[in-house]
Each structure stands twice: as C-alpha cells, then as structure tokens.
Amino acid sequence: MAGRPRCSCWPLALAWRHGPGPAPRAPARPTWRDLRGPLRDTRFWQAAGSFGVCGFHVGFLAVHMPGVIERCGLPASLAGPWIAVAGAANMLGSVAVGAALRRHDPGALLVGLYLLRALAIAALLVLPASVPAMLGFALLMGASHMATLPPTTQLVARAHGVERLGLLFGVVMLVHQAGCFGGIWLGGVLAQASGSDRTLWLIDIALALAAAALVRPRASARRREQAVQQGA
C-alpha cells in the first residue's frame, strides 16, 4: 500500500541456506510384473467385466441403431436426430456423474447407470414404437453412455492405486473393446436370423443387470480398501 515502507526478507533467508537439495527421484514406472497382483484380484475383473458390458451396449447402439429404427417401422431419417439427442445427453451425463463422484460411491453410481440402461431397454420393448419413445430412449442411453467411465476408473484406482492405473486401465479398455465386438457381431447375427432385435435387447437387459451386480458396493470390499489406505 502507498505510504508504507517496503522491505525485503530475502537477505534473512541467506542464513538458512544449506546448499542445493538432493535431486528428486523420478517415480518408478510400473511394469507388467506389477500387474500380477491386480490381475489376480476378483474386484479388478468385476470392474473390467462391467465395462465390457458397457462396450457391448455402446457398440451395438453405434452400429445398429439406424437398422433398429427402420425395423421398428419408423422413418430412416430419425437416425440423425437420435444420434444428436444421444450425443447431447452423453455430454450432460458425463458432467453430472463427474460432479456426483465427489459425494457418492463409484460402485453405487455404476449400479444406477446400468439399472437405468436396463429400464430404458425394457421401456423400449414395452412401449409402442414412436418417434417420442425412440428419442426418449436416446436420451436415457446417451446419458449413461460415457458416464460409466469416471466411476469405473475410480474403482480401479481406489482398489489398486493410481501408480498402476495406466496399465490396468489398458486391460480394462481391452475388455471394453471385446464387449464392443460382441455387441456389433451378435446384433448383426440376430437381426439377420430373425429380422428383429428383441432377442438382442433381452440379452442386453440381462447383461446390464449382471454388470450392476458385479459393481455393487460390498462392505467387505470397503473394509479391505480402508485397511490398505490406513497401511499406506
């Protein structure tokens, strides 16, 4: 502020100078050997398996929804608006889940997201085929599209640490891509064989319920994580 004398304290700091400190050590890079423990952990494969189910969903939707719309007797031009609504909902859902992770358990959020998918598919099967129903389906499926990624990442990091997260999530993404292949391939096979997507949707509902069961928070898992954190 104006009017006050200015002084510098840096000369006093010279008395406490002890020379240059030790050079910081670069953190050790994890190797594939470091993955042997996590890859033997049931919790890791539960998280990876649920994300594989997510891949099954999104792979089928990305490739087969234009055909689904036509097989429902709706105009093919609806495919463009469907993708637009799903894309907008995807952005909103991802941001909302990121904010929710500050207060809620990632496993509980994943359970909610997979149950939302199961309910959305069940509603699509029950309701008469119409433009509003199809766009509502796009809204619900889009809201849960990428929203599963942050909670899944947090589950893996919380159980096995952030140091190995890059390598571990590479394995998780491999499972996700295998699920994508399954959704795309099986969706095409069933549609060609029966001319309908009903069987695929029923499989999709069962897989969504299975994914919710895999990531359901368990008291024993929470106790193990707390013990690891206290030991650290």
Side-chain angles (χ1 to χ4, degrees):
M1 296 178 61
R4 290 188 177 183
R6 297 182 178 181
C7 62
S8 176
C9 296
W10 70 265
L12 299 177
L14 296 176
W16 304 98
R17 186 176 61 181
H18 296 287
R25 291 183 178 180
R29 294 183 179 180
T31 65
W32 286 107
R33 292 183 179 180
D34 299 322
L35 300 186
R36 285 182 293 187
L39 293 181
R40 295 172 182 171
D41 191 340
T42 303
R43 292 173 299 168
F44 172 79
W45 290 112
Q46 287 172 336
S50 70
F51 208 50
V53 171
C54 176
F56 187 95
H57 292 159
V58 301
F60 175 80
L61 294 175
V63 173
H64 292 293
M65 273 312 296
V68 170
I69 290 171
E70 289 192 66
R71 286 188 288 273
C72 288
L74 298 173
S77 59
L78 181 60
W82 194 96
I83 294 173
V85 171
N90 182 24
M91 292 187 288
L92 294 175
S94 300
V95 172
V97 165
L101 276 172
R102 299 178 181 179
R103 298 184 178 182
H104 301 286
D105 183 87
L109 289 175
L110 283 173
V111 169
L113 290 169
Y114 288 119
L115 291 180
L116 176 64
R117 290 185 182 184
L119 289 173
I121 297 169
L124 183 69
L125 291 175
V126 172
L127 295 175
S130 65
V131 172
M134 194 60 71
L135 293 180
F137 179 68
L139 182 66
L140 294 177
M141 296 303 285
S144 65
H145 188 105
M146 289 295 292
T148 59
L149 178 59
T152 304
T153 306
Q154 193 168 110
L155 275 183
V156 175
R158 191 173 66 178
H160 304 290
V162 296
E163 297 83 4
R164 296 176 288 187
L165 182 58
L167 283 175
L168 287 173
F169 214 78
V171 179
V172 174
M173 283 302 300
L174 180 62
V175 177
H176 182 273
Q177 293 304 103
C180 283
F181 170 80
I184 295 169
W185 174 79
L186 187 60
V189 168
L190 293 177
Q192 186 175 14
S194 64
S196 169
D197 301 292
R198 183 176 182 84
T199 302
L200 189 284
W201 287 134
L202 293 175
I203 294 173
D204 226 355
I205 291 173
L207 288 175
L209 295 176
L214 286 174
V215 294
R216 178 175 58 87
R218 294 170 176 82
S220 58
R222 286 195 292 266
R223 286 195 294 268
R224 285 197 300 267
E225 290 166 2
Q226 290 173 358
V228 170
Q229 293 172 359
Q230 291 173 359

